[in-house]
């Protein structure tokens, strides 16, 4: 294969259920759906940890949190001068000791650009093979007042953060498409992460959900008994407003994805670009009586709605059978081995052992899907999960374990 360009689009806190191509009749995601129609939708793709920073570290390094050492979302060490326990904390490169696949891409002649969220430390400077760097200072932010890092400077912008990320991504596509190198572009949206209140989203999009029935998620009134920061009862109006904000953020991101796809086509490089769409972790929005991800409960939950993520790969250069659905079990730890295999990257340069397995042969049409005994693991806090097609086991240090036969108790 000629070396294609790679565009990796990553949502934040998006459940695999939250898109039209996943049979959700409420959310408006025509551009994500178009990617699925033009490629392969993986129905059983899992994150390595149901919270942002550990999951993102696992995507980049192909390892589990117990190896890369990032065990929860990162609130300190992203910017200089931050305080922790009364002391000034230096900037920290939390995955600096491991090899990221972006470093392998850079060594192999790719130009690597980041547009959007990082939240793995040292936000002011490019790292892990990236030469272009537009990110969020802290990680999370309000939609209309994001703290943005550009050219090594931190500023607060009074624009919708989804649009800022899209604009930088489109700029990168236009400029990099003029060069003589293949490029890799990470587009890391903060959507559809909270806040979900009306003032944080575009009124035009908010109104698109005026008559939504919100029938694609459970209409729960009584919430999970182990919630961390929720009341024990939830009104129908509260539920609808949360979903309305969540879906508004989704649709805003989807419009940005449409602009990115259009930019690739306008530059004449769409047919030589692999587009990947995923999320850092899943999200429950009423599922199991939970509004949140793994840390919405204590001990941390490992519900499929929290650990299963969307994963779509599209690209004419791959020769994919378009519009197909893959039902095998895969995880974020498989992305790095797949890219190494697909692009002939220097695997001998990787410092750490990679537990994942390449699914490039599946994309090339060289083999069947993985066997039914594929194991997917997930880690967060005291909770560890292992899952096959039929069974799920959650083991916890110092607390209760869970075992499910998913055939009889989904």
């Amino acid at each position: 294969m000629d070396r294609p360009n790679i565009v990796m689009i990553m949502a934040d806190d998006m459940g695999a259920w939250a898109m039209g191509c996943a049979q959700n009749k409420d959310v408006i995601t025509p551009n994500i759906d178009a990617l699925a129609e033009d490629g392969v939708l993986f129905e059983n793709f899992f994150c390595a940890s149901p919270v942002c920073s550990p999951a993102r570290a696992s995507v980049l390094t192909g390892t589990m949190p117990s190896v890369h050492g990032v065990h929860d979302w990162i609130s300190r060490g992203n910017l200089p001068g931050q305080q922790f326990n009364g002391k000034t904390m230096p900037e920290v490169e939390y995955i600096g000791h491991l090899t990221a696949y972006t470093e392998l891409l850079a060594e192999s002649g790719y130009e690597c650009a980041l547009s959007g969220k990082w939240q793995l430390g040292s936000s002011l400077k490019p790292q892990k093979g990236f030469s272009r760097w537009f990110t969020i200072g802290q990680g999370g932010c309000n939609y209309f007042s994001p703290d943005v890092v550009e050219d090594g400077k931190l500023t607060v912008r009074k624009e919708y953060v989804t649009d800022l990320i899209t604009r930088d991504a489109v700029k990168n596509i236009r400029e990099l498409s003029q060069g003589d190198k293949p490029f890799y572009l990470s587009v890391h949206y903060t959507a559809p992460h909270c806040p979900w209140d009306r003032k944080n989203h575009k009124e035009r999009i908010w109104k698109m959900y005026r008559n939504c029935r919100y029938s694609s998620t459970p209409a729960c009134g009584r919430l999970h008994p182990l919630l961390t920061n929720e009341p024990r009862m939830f009104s129908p109006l509260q539920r609808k407003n949360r979903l309305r904000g969540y879906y508004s953020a989704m649709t805003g991101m989807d419009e940005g994805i449409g602009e990115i796809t259009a930019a690739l086509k306008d530059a004449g490089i769409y047919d030589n670009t692999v587009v990947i769409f995923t999320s850092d972790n899943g999200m429950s929005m009423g599922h199991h009586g939970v509004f949140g991800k793994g840390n919405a409960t204590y001990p941390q939950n490992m519900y499929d709605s929290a650990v299963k993520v969307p994963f779509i790969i599209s690209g004419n250069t791959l020769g994919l059978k378009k519009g197909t659905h893959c039902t095998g079990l895969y995880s974020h730890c498989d992305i790095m081995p797949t890219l190494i295999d697909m692009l002939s990257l220097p695997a001998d340069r990787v410092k750490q052992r990679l537990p994942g397995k390449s699914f490039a042969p599946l994309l090339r049409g060289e083999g069947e899907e993985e066997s039914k005994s594929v194991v997917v693991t997930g880690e967060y806090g005291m909770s560890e999960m292992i899952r096959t097609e039929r069974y799920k086991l959650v083991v916890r240090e110092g607390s209760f374990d869970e075992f499910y036969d998913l055939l009889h108790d989904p």
Side-chain angles (χ1 to χ4, degrees), residues 163-183:
D163 292 345
L164 288 171
I165 293 170
T166 300
R167 189 184 311 151
D168 189 72
V170 169
K171 175 187 173 188
N172 279 322
I173 290 169
R174 289 173 178 164
E175 293 178 357
L176 293 172
S177 64
Q178 301 301 312
D180 54 4
K181 290 183 176 182
F183 67 83

Side-chain angles (χ1 to χ4, degrees), residues 3 49 60 88 90 99 102 139 174 202 238 256 283 320 362:
R3 295 196 300 171
S49 180
L60 279 165
T88 300
T99 305
T102 46
R174 289 173 178 164
K202 294 181 177 180
Q238 287 173 311
M283 191 70 173
L320 300 171
L362 174 66

Side-chain angles (χ1 to χ4, degrees), residues 302-332:
M302 290 287 175
Y303 292 124
D304 269 13
S305 47
V307 297
K308 189 180 286 190
V309 294
F311 192 85
I312 299 168
I313 185 164
S314 178
N316 292 334
T317 187
L318 295 175
L320 300 171
K321 187 177 180 181
K322 297 182 179 181
T324 59
H325 287 218
C326 172
T327 59
L329 276 67
Y330 300 89
S331 87
H332 276 157

